[in-house]
């Protein structure tokens, strides 16, 4: 994120609130390399941060007032009282920052109000965690300003609680942890059960490769039903199999576990995806650590087939990206994020990027779909103070 961006956000804050902000912070969106719908099953994920960020200029208040403004949403400053924040009472964008304030206060942190101005370059509804970026940037700013002493993973937990309870979206812990904890040039291997982390070097450019994000422009909303249904189905599967979470079903025991589920085909599909996806994350980690980066391509494509057929969270546009990219010579491709729209990722040789991009764009035009937005994803820094 540029110094100019931080300065512009600070200047707008001053126009809105009549004083300089106490600081400016940034938190990134993320791309998940592999490990989809595993985080709420206590499994493994492997996201990395994008250069696209939510930026917040913030100052403390001592009068219990929370004032919020976004450069990305039409409207005036929204004024709330911190004592009046109630879960699921807000259906607007303001639910994300105010939910963080609620979660911090509920956890016993004495946050007495704030003036906040936000601006984000993370595409909304593209499966790149624009909401987590908003939550994490506000949490980090308040953590610093109020000297709360929380580490990145602790802020991620509080942000997840804000989204689960205050917003009412049953998301896992991955997005917030990625935004808070990722490092430049690395993918984050995260165990969502104990939140242990390992930074895995992921420098594709040095090896002559690129990772493309293809935003299908199809918008999704996690809080609307289908995501919650999948989560409930996974919890049902774990209960039927007598385990705390599907993470506890070993890959080698999958066939036996599926047999025990009998003819409940929907639950069988969900269980099969989660158990095989956890194994795919471990395979990708192993390949990257042994320098076999190109070999992760087929694993990405396998993951897409599982999300499409077993978890059934893909859509025609996402399937077309994967099909067209692989046919044009990609090393591998898959949908990323919660599904039902959003983005796909494509691993490609640098020399093939133009050909693959053109093939995807032409396929969308032929199908009558809205033109996709294609950009390169380079692992960037996690949340930090920028001014």
């Amino acid at each position: 994120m540029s110094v100019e961006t931080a300065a512009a956000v600070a200047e707008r804050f001053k126009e809105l609130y009549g004083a300089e902000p106490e600081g400016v912070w940034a938190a990134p969106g993320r791309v998940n390399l592999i490990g989809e719908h595993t985080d709420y099953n206590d499994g493994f994920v492997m996201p990395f941060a994008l250069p696209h960020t939510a930026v917040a200029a913030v100052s403390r208040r001592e009068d219990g007032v929370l004032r919020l403004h976004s450069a990305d949403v039409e409207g005036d400053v929204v004024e709330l009282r911190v004592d009046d924040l109630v879960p699921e009472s807000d259906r607007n964008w303001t639910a994300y920052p105010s939910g963080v304030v609620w979660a911090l206060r509920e956890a016993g942190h004495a946050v007495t109000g704030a003036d906040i101005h936000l601006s984000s370059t993370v595409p909304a509804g593209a499966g790149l965690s624009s909401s987590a970026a908003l939550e994490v940037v506000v949490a980090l700013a308040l953590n610093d300003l109020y000297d709360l002493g929380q580490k990145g993973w602790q802020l991620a937990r509080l942000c997840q609680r804000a989204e689960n309870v205050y917003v009412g979206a049953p998301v896992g812990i991955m997005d917030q942890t990625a935004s808070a904890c990722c490092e430049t040039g690395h993918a984050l291997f995260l165990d969502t059960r104990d939140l242990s982390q390992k930074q895995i070097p992921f420098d594709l450019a040095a090896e002559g490769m690129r990772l493309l994000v293809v935003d299908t422009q199809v918008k999704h909303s996690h809080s609307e039903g289908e995501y919650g249904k999948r989560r409930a189905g996974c919890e049902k599967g774990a209960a039927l199999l007598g385990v705390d979470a599907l993470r506890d079903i070993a890959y080698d025991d999958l066939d036996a576990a599926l047999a025990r589920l009998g003819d409940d085909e929907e639950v069988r599909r969900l269980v099969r995806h989660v158990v095989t996806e956890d194994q795919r994350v471990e395979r990708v980690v192993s390949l990257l650590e042994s320098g076999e980066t190109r070999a992760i391509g087929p694993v990405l494509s396998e993951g897409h087939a599982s999300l499409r057929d077993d978890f059934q969270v893909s859509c025609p546009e996402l399937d077309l990206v994967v099909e067209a990219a692989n046919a044009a010579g990609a090393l591998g491709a898959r949908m990323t994020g919660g599904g039902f729209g959003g983005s796909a990722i494509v691993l490609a040789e640098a020399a093939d990027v133009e050909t693959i991009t053109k093939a995807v764009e032409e396929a969308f035009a032929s199908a009558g779909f809205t033109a996709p937005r294609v950009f390169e994803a380079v692992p960037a820094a996690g949340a930090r103070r920028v001014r």
Side-chain angles (χ1 to χ4, degrees):
M1 194 207 66
S2 69
V3 175
E4 291 82 2
T5 304
V9 173
E11 183 59 33
R12 182 65 177 129
F13 179 99
K14 187 177 177 182
E15 291 171 9
L16 289 163
Y17 299 120
E20 294 279 353
E22 291 186 77
V24 181
W25 290 259
R30 66 94 190 99
V31 161
N32 192 23
L33 183 63
I34 192 77
E36 220 64 80
H37 290 277
T38 48
D39 60 344
Y40 53 82
N41 290 292
D42 282 2
F44 305 122
V45 295
M46 201 173 183
F48 63 86
L50 288 167
H52 307 70
T53 56
V55 182
V58 186
S59 288
R60 288 167 289 184
R61 295 182 67 98
E62 296 178 1
D63 58 359
V65 171
L66 175 64
R67 294 195 293 181
L68 303 168
H69 186 269
S70 171
D72 309 306
V73 181
E74 280 195 31
D76 298 325
V77 171
V78 176
E79 185 168 313
L80 306 164
R81 293 202 60 81
V82 296
D83 287 341
D84 296 340
L85 300 177
V86 178
E88 297 199 53
S89 60
D90 188 348
R91 288 286 174 250
N92 300 307
W93 70 270
T94 47
Y96 297 100
S98 60
V100 169
V101 173
W102 170 84
L104 286 167
R105 286 168 56 83
E106 198 211 27
H109 299 295
V111 176
T112 54
D115 287 339
I116 301 174
H117 171 59
L118 291 151
S119 179
S120 180
T121 57
V122 186
L128 304 175
S129 297
S130 57
S131 59
L134 276 185
E135 292 156 0
V136 170
V137 76
V138 170
L140 181 62
L142 296 175
N143 182 61
D144 288 357
L145 290 174
Y146 282 98
D147 198 20
L148 304 180
Q150 300 295 289
K151 298 192 182 308
W153 66 269
Q154 293 171 309
L155 292 176
R157 274 241 160 110
L158 286 163
C159 290
Q160 182 199 15
R161 179 157 177 75
E163 192 153 352
N164 287 171
V165 180
Y166 195 89
V167 178
V171 299
I173 191 67
M174 173 179 67
D175 297 350
Q176 292 83 0
T177 306
S179 187
C181 301
C182 278
E183 294 181 6
T184 304
H186 293 74
L188 178 68
F189 176 38
L190 174 67
D191 181 334
T192 65
R193 171 164 281 169
D194 63 13
L195 296 190
S196 58
Q197 304 175 16
K198 187 174 185 182
Q199 300 286 347
I200 308 292
F202 191 55
D203 183 359
L204 293 176
E207 299 187 61
M209 285 174 282
R210 299 288 186 272
L211 190 78
L212 303 178
V213 175
V214 182
D215 177 2
T216 64
Q217 310 278 357
V218 177
K219 303 301 180 191
H220 69 264
S221 176
H222 282 170
S223 30
E224 288 172 13
E226 290 299 321
Y227 183 100
K229 277 190 209 167
R230 302 302 189 283
R231 184 165 184 161
C234 290
E235 289 166 356
K236 179 182 177 183
L240 289 170
L241 293 168
V243 293
D244 290 338
L246 294 182
R247 145 74 172 277
D248 297 311
I249 304 297
Y251 179 74
D252 290 343
D253 299 333
L254 177 58
D255 288 344
L258 294 176
R260 284 166 57 202
L261 291 171
D263 58 1
D264 193 333
E265 186 54 37
E266 183 180 0
V267 172
R268 283 166 55 93
R269 284 191 289 96
L270 298 177
V271 170
R272 183 164 53 228
H273 167 73
V274 173
V275 175
T276 58
E277 186 79 348
D278 273 334
Q279 194 248 5
R280 280 186 284 274
V281 178
E282 294 184 295
R283 282 162 61 197
V284 167
V285 171
S286 177
L287 289 166
L288 290 176
E289 290 188 325
S290 60
E292 299 174 78
T293 307
R294 284 172 175 79
I296 74 172
V299 187
L300 302 184
S301 296
E302 267 179 50
H304 183 78
S306 181
L307 287 159
R308 180 190 66 210
D309 302 336
D310 279 342
F311 225 70
Q312 297 188 357
V313 290
S314 190
C315 67
E317 292 86 352
L318 288 167
D319 293 341
L320 186 57
V321 174
V322 173
E323 184 185 316
N326 284 335
L331 295 165
R334 74 172 193 92
M335 58 156 281
T336 188
F340 312 107
S343 299
I345 55 173
V346 178
L347 182 67
E349 300 287 358
D352 295 335
V353 164
E354 201 173 315
T355 303
I356 291 166
T357 301
K358 187 179 177 191
V360 170
E361 289 171 346
E362 288 178 350
F364 267 56
S366 295
F369 295 152
T370 300
R373 176 178 174 229
V374 184
F375 60 92
E376 183 183 346
V378 179
R384 68 265 184 211
R385 187 169 186 159
V386 293
R387 183 182 166 105

